[in-house]
Amino acid sequence: MIINTNITAEISAHNLQASQANLSKSLARLSSGSRIINPADDAAGLAVSSRLDAQVGRIRAAQDNVSNAVSFTQTQDGYLKKIAKALDRMSELTILAQDITKSDADRTLYQSEFSQLSEYISNAATKDFNGVSLFSTNNLEVTLDSEGNTFTMLGIDLSRSVYTDALSSSVTTTTAAKAALVAVKAAINQISEDRANIGAYQARLNSTAEQLTVSKENLTAASSRIRDVDVAQEATEFAKQNILVQSGTAMLAQANALPQSALRLLQ
């Protein structure tokens, strides 16, 4: 029996220190909701989850880009729908102007409406979306995913000859009205094709948006499985370590009291 060195107390103190460290770690996990408090807890897991979180962030950005592209095409089609209606009316005026019972004065009135519709279409061709021209020769590259892959939306140019020929037509005479009919019909066919292309772009963008949502959900779930704490499991661990700390404290007190028995030998 010795007094200077209490091996039992040293072992008890070591065990208590380990239990306290585990209790603190468990408490930190429960309070933060994260399984990885320090890189040492899971170095590889932290690296993987960090890359996944970064990819999720890029996907969110891609979703914003796709949503804005959808809004852009919807705005384009909104104008084209009204332009198509104007062209339809212009085609009616070309037929009305060919009526043999109409005088040149009547045709002048038709020309007035025809000109106003032409000016409306010309004005619509100058509109933009957040500073980006809605109708131009420029193609637009839309980001599809977190890797920066893109697809091209062809520009819709209302300054093409098929449109300008129709807008510069006249219905002041029957001969001019016949030529105007040919030009306006060509413009109607072209705007139908342009609107069909926009519809195709919207279908692809909507499918892309859905895919990005699914990808984001899956990647978020994968990161969560690595980084987030299982509360039920950690609560059990916390209760265990709490009991060990309490019992370790009591046993350390008992171990510190053991050398006192040596005093009885000196009495």
Side-chain angles (χ1 to χ4, degrees), residues 197-244:
N197 288 335
I198 288 177
Y201 297 150
Q202 288 178 347
R204 179 167 184 177
L205 290 171
N206 289 332
S207 297
T208 299
E210 293 174 1
Q211 180 59 56
L212 288 173
T213 298
V214 172
S215 296
K216 184 181 72 173
E217 291 173 353
N218 292 335
L219 290 172
T220 300
S223 177
S224 175
R225 283 191 293 269
I226 297 172
R227 187 185 292 268
D228 294 341
V229 68
D230 183 333
V231 176
Q233 179 180 347
E234 198 59 43
T236 301
E237 181 66 18
F238 175 80
K240 169 188 172 182
Q241 296 302 331
N242 194 25
I243 293 172
L244 288 174

Side-chain angles (χ1 to χ4, degrees), residues 20-263:
Q20 286 177 326
N22 289 334
L23 180 63
S24 297
K25 183 181 293 185
S26 182
L27 183 60
R29 287 174 174 171
L30 288 172
S31 61
S32 67
S34 177
R35 185 179 67 85
I36 304 175
I37 304 301
N38 298 307
D41 294 337
D42 186 353
L46 178 62
V48 172
S49 64
S50 295
R51 288 195 296 269
L52 291 175
D53 289 345
Q55 187 173 359
V56 168
R58 293 195 301 273
I59 287 177
R60 290 196 188 99
Q63 284 180 309
D64 289 341
N65 290 355
V66 170
S67 296
N68 290 335
V70 170
S71 297
F72 184 89
T73 57
Q74 288 173 339
T75 304
Q76 276 185 316
D77 189 59
Y79 276 105
L80 291 182
K81 183 177 181 180
K82 295 302 181 182
I83 292 173
K85 186 175 181 180
L87 288 172
D88 289 346
R89 177 56 181 167
M90 290 169 69
S91 69
E92 293 174 10
L93 293 173
T94 62
I95 297 299
L96 291 171
Q98 296 180 51
D99 187 351
I100 59 173
T101 66
K102 298 297 190 303
S103 66
D104 288 342
D106 294 328
R107 294 187 183 89
T108 299
L109 295 176
Y110 290 146
Q111 178 62 41
S112 177
E113 182 180 356
F114 192 93
S115 297
Q116 289 299 322
L117 292 173
S118 296
E119 289 181 13
Y120 164 75
I121 295 174
S122 297
N123 179 261
T126 65
K127 301 304 180 182
D128 61 54
F129 182 94
N130 192 36
V132 178
S133 177
L134 287 168
F135 307 108
S136 71
T137 58
N138 297 328
N139 298 333
L140 300 176
E141 301 292 333
V142 182
T143 306
L144 294 176
D145 53 32
S146 62
E147 304 307 317
N149 295 315
T150 63
F151 91 97
T152 302
M153 294 196 305
L154 300 178
I156 296 176
D157 183 15
L158 295 183
S159 65
R160 283 179 293 182
S161 59
V162 67
Y163 289 117
T164 57
D165 288 349
L167 301 184
S168 61
S169 299
S170 170
V171 294
T172 53
T173 65
T174 55
T175 301
K178 290 179 181 179
L181 175 60
V182 174
V184 172
K185 285 174 63 179
I188 290 174
N189 290 336
Q190 184 60 56
I191 204 167
S192 298
E193 181 179 334
D194 289 339
R195 291 190 67 194
N197 288 335
I198 288 177
Y201 297 150
Q202 288 178 347
R204 179 167 184 177
L205 290 171
N206 289 332
S207 297
T208 299
E210 293 174 1
Q211 180 59 56
L212 288 173
T213 298
V214 172
S215 296
K216 184 181 72 173
E217 291 173 353
N218 292 335
L219 290 172
T220 300
S223 177
S224 175
R225 283 191 293 269
I226 297 172
R227 187 185 292 268
D228 294 341
V229 68
D230 183 333
V231 176
Q233 179 180 347
E234 198 59 43
T236 301
E237 181 66 18
F238 175 80
K240 169 188 172 182
Q241 296 302 331
N242 194 25
I243 293 172
L244 288 174
V245 167
Q246 295 180 46
S247 63
T249 302
M251 293 306 99
L252 180 59
Q254 292 296 324
N256 286 333
L258 286 178
Q260 294 181 4
S261 61
L263 295 175

